[in-house]
Amino acid sequence: MNFIKRAFLSVQARKGRSLILFAVFLVVTNLVLAGFAMQNVSETASDFARKKLGVDVTLGLDSEKFQKQAEKQLEENPNERIKIPEISTEAADKLAKSTYVKNFNYVKSAFGLAEGFTPIEVDENAGSVAMAGGQDQDDREMPNISLVGARTTDLLQGFTEGTEEIIKGRGITAEDKGKKVALIEKQLAEENKLKVGDKVKIKKDDGKSTIKVEIIGIFEASETVGPKPPIAFLDPSNKIYVSLESLKEFSDNKDMKGTPIDKAIYYLNDPEQIDAFKAAGKKTDIDFDLFKLDAHDELYKKMVGPIENMAATSKWIIYLVSITGSIILGLIIMLTIKERRKELGILLSIGEKKGKLIGQLLVEVLCVAVLAFSLSIFTGGAVSQKMGDSLLQKEITASEEQENNPGQRSGFVTTSDALMGSDLNQDVDPIDNIDVSVTSKEVMKLGGLGLLIAILSTIIPALSILRLKPKEILLKDE
């Protein structure tokens, strides 16, 4: 009789054993399928988060590392002034030439004092006050103007989001490199009767440097409506955009090659290129002991951190269930084969080949496995969703508890971060709603793994019996 036909007859004759194998296979396939589906969710969530956070990567000061360096300097030389490290445009240009970069912008911020014109006053009591300093710091006046240097103003957050709009003249562009030009706010221009083509002077708060810039545009800021801030330089009307070269005199590192900047923002062609771009950046001579490439990493981690932890747990579920399931199935099949020792011995003694006997046992197991596999395609979706929701909620709870733990965030806030906004001022909610659907990709993976489990759990115990001669098998059965 054909060994395949014998296998089908055996499955029908041994309904109890077949039912036990079916139940074990069904549990294993459902859990493994859920594990694969949850890992797929992690990849989808990662893509979603990257697209939501944007394709920009910022080269800027690593505030935590700088804070540690500053604390060490204060311990060793308490009276020495701490200088904030800056990046040279010469170094930043190396990354801008990357094939991953679609566009880029440089930003440098500072504070100053209006020279020959009157800033928008916000508090009558706010005037010239002395600022306390160290030995190297002379008395400074309270700044009343905030300055933002940019390579291209069109790429700055205020203009891209529409809270600031140029109403006269033009914005600063890359073609203004080497020029000393500026954009001033509408209210400041009207109060001082300034127009495009006029020149204004801004003095550094220590009085040692003064810059003179030509007004090439006037912008209107929607944030000027509403309560006034308590300090003049925080008023949006007292913000002046200037070309990067205009601020070089205000820098502590003005002698460096190129122009000193606070940060460089690179806009990539595709979010999937972020990791490759970061890896390429690490190969340059930029000092990554003080600077870092940041693709909104903290916000990204907050959004997908719980899902990535869930995916890591699902990976262990796949390993654990696969190994445990194989062992349980192997033990069940081994006990079954021992019960059928006489049958196998007789078949071998009448000339049946060992390969066909192993084939018969394998077909019997595969018949049951295919039924369980087919059913799991329909039940796997519900099981995956239930497991995914449960694991994700646990990870979100753990993440919130960790976030609420005081003292987790530290670091130095740069002038650019304070004026232009940064991830420190933004907040995102973790992704707490996932669709753990089963796709053909997961089904294919499950099919491959299920076949491997069925083969291993059948062949290994079968070989332990069929390695013997027919006479030895029949004698052991007596």
Side-chain angles (χ1 to χ4, degrees):
M1 184 184 295
N2 184 285
F3 75 93
I4 296 176
K5 186 176 180 181
R6 286 202 309 267
F8 283 118
L9 292 174
S10 175
V11 171
Q12 292 176 359
R14 297 178 173 85
K15 291 187 176 63
R17 187 214 64 160
S18 300
L19 195 61
I20 293 172
L21 278 178
F22 175 80
V24 174
F25 263 118
L26 188 61
V27 171
V28 170
T29 51
N30 270 289
L31 292 177
V32 172
L33 192 59
F36 283 139
M38 284 188 282
Q39 287 193 315
N40 187 41
V41 167
S42 171
E43 296 174 8
T44 307
S46 175
D47 292 341
F48 171 78
R50 282 296 182 202
K51 288 176 182 174
K52 183 173 182 177
L53 294 174
V55 292
D56 56 298
V57 180
T58 300
L59 171 65
L61 188 64
D62 188 324
S63 57
E64 293 186 12
K65 289 181 179 176
F66 175 65
Q67 188 176 34
K68 290 178 183 175
Q69 187 192 65
E71 289 171 355
K72 184 179 178 183
Q73 182 183 328
L74 280 175
E75 289 178 5
E76 295 173 352
N77 301 296
N79 294 323
E80 186 178 343
R81 185 185 173 202
I82 296 173
K83 293 183 178 179
I84 300 175
E86 293 171 308
I87 310 161
S88 164
T89 51
E90 191 174 79
D93 283 343
K94 294 176 183 175
L95 280 176
K97 294 174 183 174
S98 169
T99 55
Y100 301 122
V101 177
K102 182 171 63 178
N103 205 347
F104 64 99
N105 200 13
Y106 298 150
V107 176
K108 162 74 182 161
S109 300
F111 299 111
L113 293 148
E115 182 85 354
F117 66 99
T118 307
I120 304 299
E121 291 294 341
V122 291
D123 185 346
E124 294 181 355
N125 296 322
S128 297
V129 295
M131 295 177 68
Q135 184 180 335
D136 193 41
Q137 294 183 358
D138 299 325
D139 286 347
R140 296 174 179 238
E141 291 184 73
M142 174 66 78
N144 49 30
I145 295 291
S146 62
L147 295 161
V148 177
R151 175 179 178 270
T152 308
T153 50
D154 284 350
L155 294 175
L156 295 177
Q157 190 176 14
F159 294 97
T160 57
E161 294 184 353
T163 56
E164 294 171 327
E165 181 184 7
I166 294 176
I167 56 174
K168 285 183 182 176
R170 62 175 180 85
I172 297 170
T173 66
E175 282 68 38
D176 291 314
K177 182 179 181 181
K179 300 177 183 176
K180 294 188 175 181
V181 294
L183 295 179
I184 64 171
E185 210 277 326
K186 175 188 172 187
Q187 191 177 349
L188 183 65
E190 290 177 348
E191 290 286 331
N192 292 279
K193 295 182 171 47
L194 293 170
K195 59 183 184 301
V196 174
D198 290 346
K199 293 186 177 180
V200 292
K201 291 181 181 178
I202 301 119
K203 186 172 65 176
K204 195 176 179 183
D205 55 0
D206 61 3
K208 294 180 180 177
S209 306
T210 300
I211 60 172
K212 187 177 182 180
V213 290
E214 179 186 353
I215 300 171
I216 60 169
I218 296 175
F219 70 97
E220 185 174 17
S222 58
E223 295 172 345
T224 55
V225 179
K228 290 288 185 183
I231 303 174
F233 66 75
L234 292 179
D235 191 316
S237 294
N238 289 329
K239 181 194 289 183
I240 297 180
Y241 290 107
V242 297
S243 54
L244 290 169
E245 287 73 16
S246 303
L247 281 183
K248 191 168 184 177
E249 286 297 315
F250 280 21
S251 170
D252 292 333
N253 307 291
K254 60 184 177 184
D255 295 329
M256 69 165 44
K257 290 183 71 176
T259 303
I261 56 173
D262 294 335
K263 57 185 178 182
I265 306 163
Y266 302 97
Y267 302 90
L268 308 189
N269 297 301
D270 194 303
E272 293 183 357
Q273 297 172 338
I274 287 176
D275 291 337
F277 176 71
K278 283 185 172 182
K282 294 291 175 64
K283 294 178 183 176
T284 64
D285 55 358
I286 295 171
D287 183 6
F288 284 102
D289 288 333
L290 278 175
F291 299 98
K292 66 177 180 179
L293 284 167
D294 183 15
H296 308 283
D297 293 340
E298 285 197 22
L299 296 178
Y300 174 81
K301 187 177 178 182
K302 185 176 180 181
M303 284 185 74
V304 301
I307 291 182
E308 287 185 339
N309 291 338
M310 181 196 73
T313 304
S314 69
K315 185 183 290 186
W316 283 108
I317 290 175
I318 294 173
Y319 292 150
L320 188 63
V321 171
S322 301
I323 295 171
T324 308
S326 299
I327 293 173
I328 294 173
L329 287 169
L331 290 173
I332 294 172
I333 294 170
M334 181 177 285
L335 290 173
T336 304
I337 291 174
K338 281 186 177 180
E339 290 174 358
R340 297 168 64 184
R341 189 192 300 268
K342 187 175 182 180
E343 174 193 339
L344 296 175
I346 292 172
L347 287 171
L348 282 174
S349 64
I350 62 175
E352 185 64 290
K353 293 181 180 178
K354 291 182 179 179
K356 287 189 175 181
L357 288 179
I358 292 175
Q360 177 188 336
L361 296 171
L362 191 58
V363 170
E364 291 177 19
V365 174
L366 286 176
C367 285
V368 178
V370 167
L371 289 174
F373 175 78
S374 303
L375 183 60
S376 67
I377 294 175
F378 299 100
T379 60
V383 173
S384 302
Q385 187 68 53
K386 191 76 176 174
M387 283 182 63
D389 289 342
S390 177
L391 285 173
L392 182 58
Q393 289 308 315
K394 286 182 181 177
E395 293 295 340
I396 289 175
T397 303
S399 176
E400 288 175 347
E401 289 175 354
Q402 186 177 10
E403 189 177 336
N404 293 332
N405 187 12
Q408 290 293 310
R409 171 175 283 183
S410 62
F412 178 85
V413 180
T414 64
T415 307
S416 287
D417 291 336
L419 289 177
M420 302 301 298
S422 69
D423 288 351
L424 296 174
N425 304 320
Q426 299 180 35
D427 195 16
V428 294
D429 293 325
I431 299 174
D432 58 357
N433 187 17
I434 55 174
D435 180 15
V436 194
S437 55
V438 176
T439 65
S440 57
K441 184 180 175 183
E442 284 82 48
V443 173
M444 293 292 289
K445 285 183 181 177
L446 177 64
L449 185 61
L451 182 64
L452 182 65
I453 291 174
I455 291 173
L456 291 177
S457 58
T458 304
I459 290 180
I460 293 174
L463 287 176
S464 67
I465 300 296
L466 296 178
R467 65 185 172 81
L468 302 174
K469 293 180 180 179
K471 185 179 178 180
E472 292 173 325
I473 296 174
L474 292 171
L475 287 174
K476 280 194 173 186
D477 191 54
E478 292 179 355

